[in-house]
Amino acid sequence: MTEQMVYRRYSDFLKEKYKEKVYKLPVNLPVSCPNRIYGAGCSFCAEAGTGFEAMENTVSVTKQLETTKKRIAEKYKAKKFIAYFQNYTNTFLEVTQFRDYMCEAAKISDIVEIAVSTRPDCIQKPYLEVLKEIQEEFHLAIHIELGLQTVNYHTLDLIDRGHGLAEYLDAVAQIRAYDFTICTHLILNLPNDTLRDTIETAKIMSALRMDVVKLHSLYIAKNTKMGRQYEDGTITPGTKEEYFQRLQAFLEYLSPEIVVERLFSRIPEKDAVFSNWGTSWWKLQDEFLEKMRREHSFQGKKCSYLNGCALQFLK
């Protein structure tokens, strides 16, 4: 990190890796989620999932990528892209179907990486082997995003997540056997979580030597269980100041080696009953980064708890 930076940004990481700016192209597959089929679904998840910027899943992978690539290339003069399978659980498919979709994306020109978003309880060796084959055949990087949200398994139960912490640890261990990067999605202000949970989440990410974390301020989508809880006053996302406190603590306890993809959520205003305290994400980010600089705070400032830290007292 430079002196001006307070955290290790994902955009900088990609530029270092590919020597120029790289853009993600969202792809929407006709998939669902096991938690929707066999359970109640996560209490925060809207019917449309999280693919707000993606095209309809009835459009072929090739057309989605080519259409979005053309638009981004013309607007930003971009030359390198990541095929981002974002919405729902993208390994919740038969392995042969999964392979077909991945191969279709890999054949698109100027794609340098495939990113697959999924759940910790939907990671198995056959899917990882498919991604390894894609990596080797097409000479592409592979990036797997796991939705964890918090290490507090009591909170995971409360938000109907459908898995606990153990499933996440198992998924990370399986993926580590491959030359893939791993990104973990986290929501820092979930109902029931405390500042201590935020700090422990940062410490576990550091202990696992996570590659990337993607941070979210809690947004509450319309027509969800959490939306109804918010409207009847059962839950509250807390104040902006409380989120800033948690975000600052998270970054200070997070290893400076870990890349941070995002600090605040983004959702169309029309789709939410609550999002970012009625302020745009970029204004919140500017305000937060100014607070970090003013207080001489930075990522990794308090990351002194690993590598048998108690042994320092013997010296």
Side-chain angles (χ1 to χ4, degrees):
M1 294 188 295
T2 65
E3 290 182 357
Q4 289 75 31
M5 293 173 59
V6 296
Y7 71 102
R8 191 178 180 201
R9 298 187 304 176
Y10 181 63
S11 57
D12 293 332
F13 166 74
L14 288 178
K15 199 166 185 179
E16 291 168 10
K17 185 176 182 179
Y18 295 108
K19 311 308 178 187
E20 61 184 278
K21 196 161 185 179
V22 182
Y23 291 82
K24 274 187 169 181
L25 306 178
V27 185
N28 195 4
L29 293 182
V31 296
S32 184
C33 167
N35 199 28
R36 284 175 169 270
I37 294 175
Y38 305 115
C42 301
S43 66
F44 59 80
C45 189
E47 187 65 33
T50 58
F52 303 108
E53 299 174 340
M55 298 173 66
E56 293 293 329
N57 62 19
T58 53
V59 179
S60 72
V61 169
T62 299
K63 186 171 182 180
Q64 287 187 59
L65 287 172
E66 292 287 12
T67 301
T68 310
K69 186 180 78 166
K70 181 180 179 182
R71 175 171 54 83
I72 297 297
E74 290 176 350
K75 185 174 182 180
Y76 298 107
K77 310 301 180 187
K79 298 177 182 178
K80 294 181 179 179
F81 304 90
I82 297 171
Y84 181 28
F85 292 87
Q86 176 183 13
N87 205 18
Y88 294 125
T89 305
N90 288 281
T91 55
F92 191 56
L93 290 162
E94 292 294 332
V95 175
T96 53
Q97 285 183 295
F98 180 73
R99 178 184 287 108
D100 290 343
Y101 285 130
M102 297 302 111
C103 284
E104 188 176 352
K107 292 175 182 177
I108 302 297
S109 62
D110 303 318
I111 295 293
V112 296
E113 187 170 310
I114 289 180
V116 179
S117 181
T118 189
R119 288 169 55 90
D121 54 1
C122 286
I123 292 291
Q124 281 186 350
K125 185 174 181 178
Y127 299 87
L128 298 175
E129 287 293 319
V130 165
L131 292 172
K132 180 182 178 182
E133 292 168 12
I134 298 292
Q135 181 186 53
E136 293 175 348
E137 180 179 352
F138 296 95
H139 307 290
L140 300 176
I142 302 296
H143 179 90
I144 298 181
E145 300 195 0
L146 297 173
L148 173 62
Q149 318 315 341
T150 177
V151 300
N152 184 337
Y153 45 87
H154 300 292
T155 299
L156 292 177
D157 287 346
L158 286 172
I159 63 174
D160 304 320
R161 184 64 188 160
H163 67 75
L165 181 59
E167 291 88 336
Y168 168 77
L169 297 174
D170 175 61
V172 171
Q174 289 191 70
I175 299 168
R176 283 292 184 221
Y178 299 81
D179 184 25
F180 306 154
T181 59
I182 310 175
C183 172
T184 300
H185 287 232
L186 300 164
I187 301 173
L188 300 187
N189 58 328
L190 282 167
N192 189 64
D193 268 9
T194 65
L195 178 62
R196 181 68 182 84
D197 293 311
T198 299
I199 292 171
E200 191 65 16
T201 299
K203 293 172 78 170
I204 287 179
M205 293 301 107
S206 301
L208 289 172
R209 274 65 175 177
M210 187 54 47
D211 299 304
V212 184
V213 292
K214 192 171 187 178
L215 307 180
H216 302 268
S217 47
L218 177 65
Y219 68 74
I220 303 177
K222 293 179 179 178
N223 303 315
T224 61
K225 177 180 177 180
M226 191 172 285
R228 293 187 291 273
Q229 291 172 328
Y230 173 75
E231 290 176 329
D232 68 20
T234 305
I235 64 167
T236 173
T239 66
K240 177 186 72 174
E241 290 73 23
E242 288 171 334
Y243 183 76
F244 278 15
Q245 180 189 29
R246 293 189 185 194
L247 181 55
Q248 182 172 355
F250 181 90
L251 291 175
E252 288 187 340
Y253 279 92
L254 187 71
S255 165
E257 300 300 316
I258 297 176
V259 176
V260 181
E261 184 168 352
R262 178 179 289 180
L263 301 178
F264 296 90
S265 294
R266 305 171 193 179
I267 181 177
E269 188 176 336
K270 63 180 179 62
D271 296 314
V273 294
F274 172 85
S275 176
N276 289 335
W277 303 275
T279 306
S280 64
W281 69 265
W282 57 268
K283 285 185 178 179
L284 287 172
Q285 182 163 291
D286 286 347
E287 183 180 348
F288 173 73
L289 294 180
E290 175 55 33
K291 168 182 166 65
M292 292 283 283
R293 294 188 185 100
R294 185 173 64 249
E295 298 178 11
H296 306 289
S297 180
F298 54 87
Q299 180 179 339
K301 184 177 182 179
K302 297 179 180 178
C303 186
S304 58
Y305 46 83
L306 300 175
N307 300 315
C309 63
L311 292 175
Q312 65 181 303
F313 300 113
L314 292 177
K315 299 178 181 179

